[in-house]
Amino acid sequence: QFRGRAVSAVMLGLAVATVIGVPVSTWIGQSLGWRSAYWTVVVITVAAAATIAAFVPHSPGDHTASISRELRALRKPEVQFAFATGMVGFGGMFAMYSYIAPTVTKVTHLSQGWIPVFLFVFGLGAVAGTWLGGRASDWSLAKAIALALAAMAALLALFYLASPYPVPALVVVFLVELAAAVLAITLTIRLMDAAGDAQMIGAALNHSSLNTANGLGALLGSIVISAGHGYRAPSLVGVGLALGGLLIFAASILHSRRQRAVAQ
């Protein structure tokens, strides 16, 4: 009954890390040079690994699990649809986010010191969206995914209009990431459901789809910038990607209904 909230509780750590880590590392890089940010990550990683080894209790593995069982999940159309939904739909957010720094300085016309502020607000959106995503998943998983994708498309279009204005731009950045975080949580559960007993690959595929979305959104954003359309244009690319993800998800719902009809 509260599976979505359980998943969001685990993922909340990643969201909090976004709030703290991204703006702080940006500030460190600006103040002490870009290499210092990477050395800070190294120190934190070593400390985290030592803490896990010292305090996290041992948990026995699933002896029935196998690589072949996990990989068989990749053949399922539901898994493929869910992966494609995340890869394309989540790419909409990354098309905008990948170029947030030059957007702040060249479109909103703020100093570089404002970049960590935008990243911090973005991280707050991740925290709020992760919390909300768990509850939305427990309410209705399919509706939550569809609403998150539709909201992301609308908000990215709004960011195109709001980006020249500091306060509206900050508000929309928060809301874009809130919708994206809801999508990330709900797609995690969707993939785990679709994978069946291959839960490990189901959970891992969500991150794979989001990382692929990162590259796809940044790539397409760079193409429109290189074509001379400016730093606002990637947001419109993001609108197209979010709507594309929504269409893929709609196709997955239709496929599932047809499969159930055939089974009956």
Side-chain angles (χ1 to χ4, degrees):
Q1 183 181 2
F2 299 110
R3 181 182 54 166
R5 300 182 195 189
V7 172
S8 71
V10 175
M11 298 296 290
L12 199 60
L14 180 62
V16 173
T18 303
V19 173
I20 299 174
V22 176
V24 169
S25 62
T26 301
W27 176 80
I28 291 173
Q30 290 176 345
S31 303
L32 303 175
W34 63 270
R35 290 183 177 83
S36 61
Y38 285 93
W39 282 114
T40 302
V41 172
V42 170
V43 172
I44 293 173
T45 302
V46 171
T51 303
I52 291 170
F55 296 105
V56 174
H58 173 72
S59 178
D62 181 3
H63 298 293
T64 65
S66 67
I67 294 176
S68 60
R69 188 184 77 179
E70 296 290 323
L71 292 178
R72 278 197 297 271
L74 297 175
R75 302 176 183 174
K76 297 181 178 180
E78 294 84 358
V79 172
Q80 296 168 6
F81 272 122
F83 183 89
T85 299
M87 180 184 71
V88 176
F90 208 82
M93 184 276 291
F94 279 115
M96 177 273 285
Y97 180 67
S98 299
Y99 303 98
I100 192 66
T103 300
V104 169
T105 56
K106 298 181 184 299
V107 177
T108 319
H109 300 295
L110 295 172
S111 68
Q112 285 191 346
W114 278 92
I115 296 174
V117 176
F118 273 77
L119 296 178
F120 179 75
V121 170
F122 182 89
L124 290 178
V127 173
T130 300
W131 178 87
L132 180 61
R135 281 145 185 82
S137 299
D138 293 333
W139 164 64
S140 174
L141 185 60
K143 290 179 181 178
I145 293 173
L147 287 172
L149 285 165
M152 194 186 305
L155 289 165
L156 286 167
L158 184 59
F159 185 75
Y160 177 85
L161 301 174
S163 55
Y165 312 102
V167 174
L170 272 173
V171 172
V172 178
V173 162
F174 172 86
L175 293 174
V176 167
E177 177 53 15
L178 186 149
V182 170
L183 180 62
I185 295 297
T186 51
L187 279 178
T188 297
I189 299 172
R190 178 80 174 178
L191 275 165
M192 292 173 69
D193 286 346
D197 56 1
Q199 292 291 290
M200 288 186 291
I201 200 167
L205 277 175
N206 186 57
H207 287 285
S208 297
S209 70
L210 302 189
N211 286 332
T212 306
N214 190 343
L216 178 64
L219 172 64
L220 295 179
S222 70
I223 291 174
V224 296
I225 292 171
S226 299
H229 297 294
Y231 287 104
R232 299 169 68 188
S235 296
L236 297 182
V237 172
V239 173
L241 289 172
L243 292 176
L246 184 58
L247 289 175
I248 294 170
F249 182 67
S252 74
I253 296 296
L254 291 175
H255 178 270
S256 297
R257 289 177 178 174
R258 289 172 184 167
Q259 291 294 101
R260 286 195 296 267
V262 171
Q264 293 174 356

